[in-house]
Amino acid sequence: MKFRSLAVAVIAAAVSGCQYKAEPLPIAAYNVYSSYGDKLPGKYFLYVDATVLSRSIKPSDINCAAHTFPIDMRAGFAGSVRKTLEPLVAELQVVDAPVDRADLAAQGARGMIVIKGEELDGRLRVVPGFWTAGMETEVELAASITVDGRNGRLLGSTVGGDGNAQGDAGGFCEGGAKAMTDAAEKAMKQVVGRLGEALTNSERVRKGS
């Protein structure tokens, strides 16, 4: 009786599917192209809003269709932004909420940098093989950057990036999480690099007006 109950539980779990999470780690883009030889002078506050950078992805075909692959880029994106911008700015202070423009001077800051995750999308396809199946994944990411100085808006831009990765599906499709993570990290590195380039190459930001 116990064996039968266990077998039923195993079958039910297989039918209902599993969630294989993809949680990219913070990854900095250190090869940011800059037209200037020095850091952005002065002190800047940084606020990152990555609220929307979490969603579940389903395979595009029937293979592994019982499983879902949630991507959570919120922590990884925030950490990647910070690691990428720190070498570009003389003094960067992360804040929990945007600081009002009128309060910048009193706190000794030249500007308020706000970076927001705007969109996250992903695709996963199972590629049947002779011995083992493979996974092909793609992740697309978009984010925006605004910089407010003491006297008004200095920069506003939106950038995007995408990443592709392949890997083995594994015995129960669990390999999709690894391939999805790899694709997400590539997309994230592209995006934070482009955000860094938009910031460091802005003449208006450097002049502060």
Side-chain angles (χ1 to χ4, degrees):
M1 188 65 177
K2 289 183 179 179
F3 177 79
R4 182 178 178 183
S5 298
L6 179 61
V8 170
V10 170
I11 293 172
V15 171
S16 63
C18 298
Q19 287 192 342
Y20 298 116
K21 293 183 179 180
E23 296 180 300
L25 297 174
I27 180 168
Y30 293 117
N31 58 338
V32 174
Y33 170 77
S34 176
S35 300
Y36 301 88
D38 57 347
K39 293 184 177 183
L40 197 65
K43 175 182 176 180
Y44 285 82
F45 293 122
L46 171 66
Y47 173 72
V48 181
D49 180 0
T51 307
V52 304
L53 301 185
S54 178
R55 64 173 300 174
S56 290
I57 306 299
K58 295 283 290 183
S60 60
D61 54 26
I62 194 172
N63 296 302
C64 296
H67 307 288
T68 57
F69 298 84
I71 309 177
D72 190 346
M73 299 182 70
R74 291 172 293 185
F77 180 75
S80 297
V81 168
R82 178 182 56 78
K83 287 186 173 185
T84 299
L85 297 192
E86 280 179 342
L88 305 177
V89 181
E91 184 179 353
L92 189 68
Q93 181 179 334
V94 178
V95 293
D96 295 328
V99 176
D100 191 85
R101 184 185 306 162
D103 298 328
L104 293 175
Q107 300 190 45
R110 294 188 68 200
M112 177 71 235
I113 304 169
V114 176
I115 292 180
K116 183 179 180 181
E118 298 288 350
E119 189 174 352
L120 171 63
D121 196 13
R123 284 172 288 279
L124 183 149
R125 185 170 73 93
V126 181
V127 182
F130 186 76
W131 294 109
T132 59
M135 291 283 195
E136 290 184 352
T137 59
E138 180 181 8
V139 172
E140 296 177 346
L141 176 66
S144 63
I145 176 172
T146 59
V147 181
D148 284 335
R150 297 176 182 179
N151 299 315
R153 178 62 48 90
L154 303 175
L155 175 65
S157 182
T158 300
V159 303
D162 62 87
N164 297 273
Q166 298 81 37
D168 292 333
F172 298 95
C173 303
E174 71 277 4
K178 172 65 166 60
M180 191 67 75
T181 299
D182 291 345
E185 288 180 348
K186 291 176 182 178
M188 190 161 60
K189 188 172 183 179
Q190 277 188 10
V191 167
V192 297
R194 289 167 181 168
L195 291 169
E197 288 177 357
L199 177 66
T200 191
N201 290 306
S202 172
E203 186 176 354
R204 289 196 65 191
V205 173
R206 286 185 172 271
K207 288 183 177 180
S209 61

